[in-house]
Amino acid sequence: MSTESNHASLSTAAEDTQSSHCRKEDQWHPLELFPYFRRWPYSWLRDIIYTFIWNTGIFLFFLCISLVITGGHVSGRNLWTNLFLTQIIGYTIHGLFDLSSRLLKRWLKTAGGWQRALYFMLIPTLGVFLGYAIGFSILDFPKARDYVFSAEGARYVALFALGISGVLFSLFVIRDRQARAEVALANETQRALDAERRALEAQLRMLQAQIEPHFLYNTLANAVGLIGPAPDKARLLLERLIDYLRASLAASREDHTTLGQEMATLRAYLDLMTVRMGERLQYKVECDPTLAALPLPPMLLQPVVENAVKHGLEPKIKGGEIRVEAVRHGAELQLTVSDTGQGFVPGAKPRPGGGVGLSNLRERLKTLYGQAGALIITDNQPCGVRVTLRLPLSPLRAP
């Protein structure tokens, strides 16, 4: 049942993974290769901070290389100059990727492997040259800026730029493979869950089509016993049984019913039980007429009402009343079944079938609605039990 109850949440996760893959084409940052940096959702400020951290990491990497080559001798001026240039180059590459992804969004979605490789190589290369030009201009180093664009300087800068491009391209390839693997896993999980859900729905339809033999035998036995002393009551009992069987069997053949039809089935069942129990059973079924056309899974309230009759009112000598209500609360449909039966008896053993029936109903709600559906069981003052089903209204709207 754990797989069944998690169906909706896993299905949502699969959809989120696919949408996340599409979103990250434009908004992914290399730091997200590390799980720690996936905690925070995308925002321009987050990416600005991430780029600063990324640039600082690159600066420290080259600083370590420089310290090894020079034997640990690096002047403070060169230290801050290199840090500044690293930040300028990094943010220039960041800006070029952001701008190009907006301008070339459609092309990037359809570009082939070599075209994407060329794109991820050219942008960083251009960013390095442009970053050096901007950085040296801000620092007022005209000779250094001119050297970058000289024949000799351009060769060195190009080699450095190609190294940066290669690193970034490798990271994007890793990211792309990782995202595709996540989407493939989510799709496979979705297919497995869909298959399991179809099997569960088929099993549910089979169970819905089965009328409890004990209930049916008792009803027919009561009818036989009434033929002699009270033939009119026996006739009424059989008519109500026919009404109930017609309504419940019709519902069992459909994937969805309506709230109005569900209430009609409950009335047929309670009419039948009223003939059997007499004045010991009173009931009210109240439903706003504007909600009657709402689609609803079939036989959703039936086990709750049966529990109320079998475990609440029948064991009580005086019987009691069952009230079924359907109301709308904001974006929720609230279905309530309350009884004035014997309620929860302290220290008593679990009711046979009652706990299992409601447990199965709770799992069914999770399968159909995920966390949006809820089943709540409370005491009904001054006596009895109240069972409330809360369902999201949006997926239940009539077409």
Side-chain angles (χ1 to χ4, degrees):
M1 297 302 294
S2 59
T3 304
E4 173 187 352
S5 63
N6 290 328
H7 183 286
S9 59
L10 288 176
S11 298
T12 304
E15 294 172 0
D16 290 345
T17 301
Q18 295 177 6
S19 61
S20 175
H21 175 59
C22 296
R23 176 185 66 81
K24 289 183 178 182
E25 286 292 336
D26 302 326
Q27 300 169 348
W28 181 83
H29 195 282
L31 280 183
E32 289 184 81
L33 283 174
F34 305 98
Y36 178 82
F37 292 99
R38 298 176 195 164
R39 296 183 177 184
W40 295 274
Y42 167 80
S43 69
W44 67 269
L45 180 60
R46 184 210 71 164
D47 271 15
I48 292 295
I49 296 173
Y50 277 16
T51 298
F52 177 82
I53 298 172
W54 178 262
N55 296 340
T56 303
I58 292 177
F59 163 74
L60 293 175
F61 173 76
F62 283 109
L63 176 61
C64 291
I65 295 177
S66 179
L67 290 174
V68 171
I69 295 175
T70 62
H73 300 291
V74 177
S75 66
R77 182 181 180 184
N78 287 339
L79 188 70
W80 291 111
T81 298
N82 290 333
L83 176 61
F84 176 78
L85 289 173
T86 303
Q87 295 293 343
I88 291 293
I89 293 172
Y91 279 113
T92 301
I93 296 174
H94 177 113
L96 288 175
F97 268 122
D98 187 63
L99 178 62
S100 62
S101 66
R102 295 175 186 275
L103 296 177
L104 305 174
K105 187 174 183 178
R106 293 184 178 179
W107 176 81
L108 286 172
K109 289 182 178 180
T110 59
W114 69 270
Q115 292 173 319
R116 292 174 65 83
L118 184 62
Y119 167 78
F120 285 117
M121 296 295 284
L122 285 178
I123 295 297
T125 301
L126 179 60
V128 170
F129 276 96
L130 189 57
Y132 268 126
I134 295 173
F136 284 136
S137 297
I138 294 175
L139 294 172
D140 195 20
F141 291 170
K143 292 184 179 179
R145 183 186 59 206
D146 294 341
Y147 175 76
V148 168
F149 292 97
S150 66
E152 181 182 359
R155 286 196 298 270
Y156 287 110
V157 174
L159 290 174
F160 172 70
L162 287 175
I164 296 295
S165 301
V167 171
L168 289 177
F169 176 68
S170 299
L171 293 177
F172 277 103
V173 169
I174 294 173
R175 179 288 308 255
D176 191 62
R177 290 178 178 175
Q178 184 184 63
R180 291 179 186 277
E182 290 175 355
V183 170
L185 178 61
N187 288 337
E188 187 62 31
T189 302
Q190 183 67 53
R191 283 193 292 270
L193 290 174
D194 286 342
E196 182 176 359
R197 181 169 184 169
R198 287 192 294 271
L200 288 171
E201 289 174 348
Q203 182 183 17
L204 177 62
R205 285 193 293 270
M206 180 182 66
L207 292 175
Q208 289 170 350
Q210 296 174 352
I211 302 299
E212 184 182 4
H214 187 66
F215 161 75
L216 187 57
Y217 295 156
N218 282 347
T219 303
L220 293 175
N222 287 342
V224 171
L226 291 171
I227 290 176
D232 291 340
K233 192 173 181 180
R235 180 189 180 103
L236 179 61
L237 182 61
L238 290 174
E239 288 175 348
R240 294 294 178 265
L241 177 60
I242 291 171
D243 292 340
Y244 171 66
L245 291 176
R246 182 184 294 113
S248 60
L249 290 176
S252 70
R253 296 188 181 99
E254 302 293 336
D255 292 331
H256 290 85
T257 183
T258 64
L259 181 58
Q261 291 171 333
E262 180 80 355
M263 292 302 183
T265 303
L266 294 179
R267 289 190 184 97
Y269 171 77
L270 290 170
D271 280 343
L272 173 62
M273 297 306 299
T274 300
V275 176
R276 286 182 53 184
M277 296 178 62
E279 295 182 356
R280 294 178 60 235
L281 172 59
Q282 304 293 325
Y283 77 87
K284 291 182 180 179
V285 177
E286 300 176 348
C287 176
D288 186 341
T290 61
L291 302 177
L294 288 176
L296 198 71
M299 311 293 282
L300 200 64
L301 290 174
Q302 185 73 19
V304 182
V305 175
E306 287 181 1
N307 264 355
V309 173
K310 183 176 180 180
H311 304 297
L313 271 60
E314 281 190 335
K316 191 175 179 180
I317 296 176
K318 293 183 179 180
E321 181 185 50
I322 291 178
R323 182 184 294 268
V324 182
E325 298 175 289
V327 295
R328 176 177 181 172
H329 283 288
E332 282 188 341
L333 175 65
Q334 184 169 300
L335 306 173
T336 304
V337 178
S338 56
D339 67 74
T340 58
Q342 67 174 0
F344 297 108
V345 179
K349 294 182 180 180
R351 297 169 175 175
V356 175
L358 293 181
S359 176
N360 289 341
L361 178 59
R362 182 178 282 109
E363 295 299 334
R364 186 182 175 198
L365 289 178
K366 288 183 180 180
T367 300
L368 293 169
Y369 302 105
Q371 298 301 319
L375 184 147
I376 303 169
I377 305 174
T378 58
D379 287 319
N380 184 41
Q381 298 301 326
C383 62
V385 176
R386 177 187 295 269
V387 178
T388 302
L389 279 67
R390 292 180 178 174
L391 313 178
L393 190 62
S394 53
L396 296 177
R397 296 185 186 278

